[in-house]
Amino acid sequence: MNIAAITITYNDEFKFKEWCDHYEKYKEELYLHIIIDNNSTDGYLKKVKKYFNNSVIIEMGYNGGCTASYNAGIKYALADENVDAIALIGNDMMFDKRNMTKLYDFLFNNNKFGMVEPLILNSNGTINDFGCEISNYLTLKPYMSGKKITDINEQFNICSTVTGGMNLAKREFYEEVGFQDENLFMYSDEVDMGIRAKKKGLLMAATKESIAWHMHINPNIETNRRHPFSRYLIARNKTYLARKHYGARKCLNVALFFIIKAMVSILILFIKGNFSKIKDEWWQILGAINGFNGNMKQNKYSHQ
């Protein structure tokens, strides 16, 4: 078992202690630990280097989002012939000792499995997802979301895709399917990889034998809301992926889905006088329009 784990960081001071605590629980199961830094401040990067002094730290020199950063780590891992599996682990993911080993065993016990994930719980113990399906509008439909572990009857679930921030793949998966699409920057990478894996005849699955907790640590503690740039990127990327994989008609349908949904939300928010959230909906509309037009360039809407 030679697992290379890849984690991305970018000025994550607000969750650094938790990240360190999580890492201590699974580090002994790793062959190689790779950290990708997306051009953090010198002070924060120094802190990362001091604590993770046995890890490989790749400094991007710019913000590569998730896709370019993960690709940098994947390429580094594949250059080592001893690596037989690659894990992508968000730094707000927590799982106990031996759970990585259990996930590895599950992956290699089926020749058709290319990428797998553990059962992912929320911090309150409810299920975040047990694998995901991809809807007609390329949104994710997490299986068993909100349920309890005791509600699950099956030991594993073969699914359309797995969580982008907590998964394990055989090295052959990336050699056959390829790297992440860097046009995406971040969000919807799991949709793209799920569609591409299916075309190659590789299965994705989630197992109950391995359990992880997604702690959902956001920088804005008061509102616990994401920056509206996430809404822009999600709408843009799903519209882009619709054209990439299914053509112009699908692209139009997906774009209209996000635009109409946002317009309805704006009307409701306006009536209720909740003007602070209208920005999120407007950015979603802009994302869908740019995705439809194939405009994937970085701009003021695509960065936090």
Side-chain angles (χ1 to χ4, degrees), residues 42-218:
D42 291 340
Y44 175 73
L45 183 56
K46 183 178 179 180
K47 191 172 183 177
V48 171
K49 290 179 176 179
K50 182 178 179 180
Y51 189 87
F52 295 98
N53 51 50
N54 291 319
S55 303
V56 174
I57 299 177
I58 299 176
E59 299 177 46
M60 293 292 284
Y62 67 99
N63 189 346
C66 290
T67 52
S69 300
Y70 275 139
N71 282 346
I74 294 166
K75 290 173 185 177
Y76 187 95
L78 290 177
D80 187 332
E81 295 181 356
N82 292 319
V83 171
D84 61 357
I86 298 173
L88 308 184
I89 307 177
N91 55 18
D92 60 353
M93 284 288 182
M94 177 182 74
F95 52 102
D96 292 330
K97 293 180 179 180
R98 304 298 299 166
N99 274 271
M100 180 64 77
T101 300
K102 292 175 183 177
L103 190 61
Y104 177 93
D105 291 341
F106 175 73
L107 174 63
F108 281 88
N109 280 337
N110 190 312
N111 291 332
K112 278 290 186 178
F113 288 164
M115 179 182 284
V116 298
E117 70 165 19
L119 168 62
I120 299 177
L121 305 178
N122 297 306
S123 57
N124 63 4
T126 60
I127 296 173
N128 184 303
D129 77 86
F130 188 40
C132 296
E133 294 305 311
I134 301 171
S135 76
N136 289 332
Y137 300 106
L138 305 190
T139 58
L140 292 181
K141 299 164 64 178
Y143 181 54
M144 299 299 288
S145 177
K147 303 289 186 178
K148 299 178 181 179
I149 295 180
T150 53
D151 295 326
I152 300 177
N153 295 318
E154 58 267 65
Q155 288 299 112
F156 65 90
N157 174 44
I158 295 176
C159 51
S160 297
T161 193
V162 296
T163 299
M166 182 61 254
N167 59 64
L168 181 69
K170 296 170 183 172
R171 70 175 292 133
E172 292 82 8
F173 177 89
Y174 290 108
E175 291 172 341
E176 189 170 349
V177 176
F179 301 114
Q180 295 196 5
D181 186 340
E182 295 187 9
N183 281 324
L184 298 175
F185 185 70
M186 64 187 299
Y187 297 116
S188 300
D189 48 291
E190 61 271 88
V191 174
D192 183 49
M193 297 303 279
I195 294 171
R196 288 161 58 191
K198 184 178 181 180
K199 290 178 180 178
K200 294 290 184 177
L202 296 173
L203 296 179
M204 292 189 176
T207 175
K208 192 169 70 172
E209 295 299 314
S210 179
I211 299 175
W213 287 262
H214 191 184
M215 304 310 289
H216 296 285
I217 305 171
N218 291 319

